[in-house]
Amino acid sequence: MMKVNAGRGKRAGDNDAGEVKRARQAPERPLVTPAVVLVHPQLGENIGFAARAMANFGLSDLRLVAPRDGWPNDKAIAAAAGAVAVVDRATVYDTIEAAIGDLNYVLATTARPREMVKLVLSPETAAAALRERASAAERTGVMFGAERSGLDNDAIALADAILTAPVSPGFASLSLPQAVLLFSYEWLKCQSPKALGRITTFDGPALEGTPTPDTWPATRAELFGLFEHLEGELDRSGFLRPPEKRPSMVRSIRNMFHRMGVTEQDVRTWRGIITALTRRPPSRG
Amino acid sequence: MMKVNAGRGKRAGDNDAGEVKRARQAPERPLVTPAVVLVHPQLGENIGFAARAMANFGLSDLRLVAPRDGWPNDKAIAAAAGAVAVVDRATVYDTIEAAIGDLNYVLATTARPREMVKLVLSPETAAAALRERASAAERTGVMFGAERSGLDNDAIALADAILTAPVSPGFASLSLPQAVLLFSYEWLKCQSPKALGRITTFDGPALEGTPTPDTWPATRAELFGLFEHLEGELDRSGFLRPPEKRPSMVRSIRNMFHRMGVTEQDVRTWRGIITALTRRPPSRG
């Protein structure tokens, strides 16, 4: 069963609607830069190198999911060189779900798209997509897997889309700090207004005009709550059997929702649908 | 006085004009990729990391000018990971002039343009410029300075133009392997669609190879069957009420499926989900 944490951020659409509305309508407000989420990183040096790359290109929100060698880590501090501030402000989580709970839009970095049907973005397109969403006050992030293993399919299934760098077929393995560097570099590159002009074709919910609950992307926590609800009912009904097939069935269902680009209102609609379908009609049952 | 060595390569425009002309007129010929010239590199690890970045993005001509710790270097081999071939084939020179003697067009990488009046290119523009020249059978290269000191003014004065990566003013210092990586990445990015194969599709959904039921879009008829199934069950459960709201609720649900980009397999999965949710478990009903 998935554990759902609300995450540390304020959830858009929660109780303080006035403040959220102001935030969404103030384009002059500094962008909330994407979070860089390192999932089970192994070497402190690589965390430090990643922090350095982030600082080089204006990123600061480093999140670590269960770093192998614990935290804080002296080797990370040494490798970060002058970027110690990013390391010092890094936050640590037990689970991916907790680390990305407050985010609205999340990418998963992987060398090779797996069998999942998911949008695949280059670092350049990914940076543009995140920039567009950040401009609309969405919270965004990019997940990077462990050095050897990368992100597993369950982690990838939590993301909206896949980030893959074009590499030479002859030597396709990018190191963790290299991958963080390329994304961070493209993030800074796409900041200039000139570069922004051509970002027009991103696939996702329309973000024009004043956002409403109909168009405001659900947070990860809201989405995880929906998954938990649906999968719990499907477990009870016997749909997710045999047990050895359950993981791939769950991933496939989650990926359909990610492709949909689920809004806050969608989450409410789906939870209503699930409740309705699992309830026998009072009169004719 | 500058010492000029001819270097190891044939210089275009030299004595064998006929051969050079043929080469320029044969676009199918593989490009001569740019040389990466590390001037007085200090740490073997950084040479290895640079070699790895080169291999990741299809570069192979590594040239070292008077590496501090001699050559070959075990730390370089270790850091190169799978890119040992680039390290093995690296060539070593006593002077910059010897290292770049056979090149037609050379860039100097520096964090901050000095007082020289020289064209300054971003990694992206530099890659495009080198690509254009390589297509015309010119030999090209990019120089990178030592870790701490960078390239001195005399080295920069040997180059045709300056290569500078955009960085955050707050933390502008790029490491040597980072700088090599960014140039190599942009080099691969600017290759022709033909050379890159499937990498050109990264800006859109990955739909490579033979379509399977997992990726093949559902027909409208399959989708309508799914709508009918779901809406019928929702009508029975009383979810689509009051009646005057039913049309907009149905549209909203259908639009979620359209945004998802439903495949044939998705239709089967959803119909299974609906059937499972509307069926009471045999034991606990």
Side-chain angles (χ1 to χ4, degrees), chain A residues 203-254:
Chain A
D203 282 345
L207 289 170
E208 292 140 22
T210 307
T212 68
D214 283 352
T215 60
W216 189 250
T219 64
R220 285 299 107 158
E222 288 164 341
L223 206 52
F224 296 157
L226 169 60
F227 291 165
E228 197 172 10
H229 186 178
L230 177 59
E231 291 155 19
E233 291 296 347
L234 291 176
D235 275 328
R236 261 190 290 283
S237 77
F239 181 75
L240 296 174
R241 288 183 201 157
E244 63 271 22
K245 283 205 170 176
R246 188 184 188 281
S248 71
M249 293 171 82
V250 164
R251 281 196 297 269
S252 155
I253 293 168
R254 291 180 179 184

Side-chain angles (χ1 to χ4, degrees), chain A:
Chain A
M1 211 58 163
M2 192 193 302
K3 266 194 296 181
V4 177
N5 301 39
R8 59 182 175 177
K10 186 188 286 284
R11 283 167 59 197
D14 259 354
N15 37 25
D16 199 343
E19 184 186 315
V20 169
K21 199 172 169 198
R22 274 196 305 281
R24 288 176 186 174
Q25 289 176 341
E28 315 80 10
R29 200 162 168 267
L31 288 184
V32 177
T33 56
V36 168
V37 184
L38 306 187
V39 178
H40 305 313
Q42 301 180 306
L43 298 173
E45 292 90 325
N46 283 339
I47 301 172
F49 287 143
R52 178 177 180 159
M54 291 171 63
N56 281 139
F57 299 102
L59 298 180
S60 57
D61 184 358
L62 174 60
R63 305 181 183 194
L64 307 173
V65 178
R68 187 190 67 184
D69 297 339
W71 197 258
N73 181 314
D74 288 342
K75 287 180 178 168
I77 294 168
V84 179
V86 174
V87 172
D88 282 347
R89 281 160 41 192
T91 47
V92 182
Y93 304 83
D94 291 334
T95 64
I96 297 177
E97 288 82 357
I100 65 177
D102 64 318
L103 304 180
N104 300 105
Y105 188 75
V106 178
L107 301 179
T109 307
T110 175
R112 38 190 187 291
R114 320 290 171 106
E115 69 278 7
M116 284 180 260
V117 180
K118 241 179 158 76
L119 185 70
V120 180
L121 306 174
S122 69
E124 185 173 17
T125 313
L130 265 54
R131 157 83 198 194
E132 191 170 277
R133 287 171 181 271
S135 302
E138 285 189 42
R139 289 177 178 274
T140 65
V142 183
M143 296 191 284
F144 297 84
E147 284 89 342
R148 297 209 174 271
S149 49
L151 293 172
D152 65 22
N153 281 351
D154 287 329
I156 295 170
L158 296 178
D160 292 280
I162 286 173
L163 167 58
T164 298
V167 282
S168 167
F171 188 57
S173 148
L174 277 184
S175 73
L176 173 57
Q178 284 180 321
V180 173
L181 175 66
L182 293 184
F183 166 71
S184 304
Y185 164 74
E186 291 286 8
W187 168 260
L188 188 80
K189 258 178 77 181
C190 83
Q191 298 314 295
S192 83
K194 199 172 133 201
L196 279 180
R198 62 193 165 72
I199 300 166
T200 51
T201 59
F202 177 67
D203 282 345
L207 289 170
E208 292 140 22
T210 307
T212 68
D214 283 352
T215 60
W216 189 250
T219 64
R220 285 299 107 158
E222 288 164 341
L223 206 52
F224 296 157
L226 169 60
F227 291 165
E228 197 172 10
H229 186 178
L230 177 59
E231 291 155 19
E233 291 296 347
L234 291 176
D235 275 328
R236 261 190 290 283
S237 77
F239 181 75
L240 296 174
R241 288 183 201 157
E244 63 271 22
K245 283 205 170 176
R246 188 184 188 281
S248 71
M249 293 171 82
V250 164
R251 281 196 297 269
S252 155
I253 293 168
R254 291 180 179 184
N255 276 334
M256 290 193 293
F257 282 101
H258 289 308
R259 296 208 314 272
M260 191 187 299
V262 182
T263 67
E264 290 177 356
Q265 178 57 53
D266 292 342
V267 169
R268 282 192 288 274
T269 300
W270 278 107
R271 298 195 70 149
I273 288 175
I274 296 163
T275 302
L277 292 179
T278 51
R279 154 183 89 204
R280 273 275 161 257
S283 50
R284 312 178 208 175

Side-chain angles (χ1 to χ4, degrees), chain B residues 185-202:
Chain B
Y185 164 75
E186 291 287 8
W187 168 261
L188 188 78
K189 261 177 72 182
C190 83
Q191 299 309 293
S192 73
K194 204 170 132 199
L196 283 181
R198 68 183 180 81
I199 290 168
T200 54
T201 64
F202 275 165

Side-chain angles (χ1 to χ4, degrees), chain B residues 17-32:
Chain B
E19 185 188 315
V20 169
K21 198 174 171 196
R22 271 197 307 279
R24 287 182 183 169
Q25 288 175 345
E28 312 80 11
R29 199 160 170 270
L31 287 182
V32 177

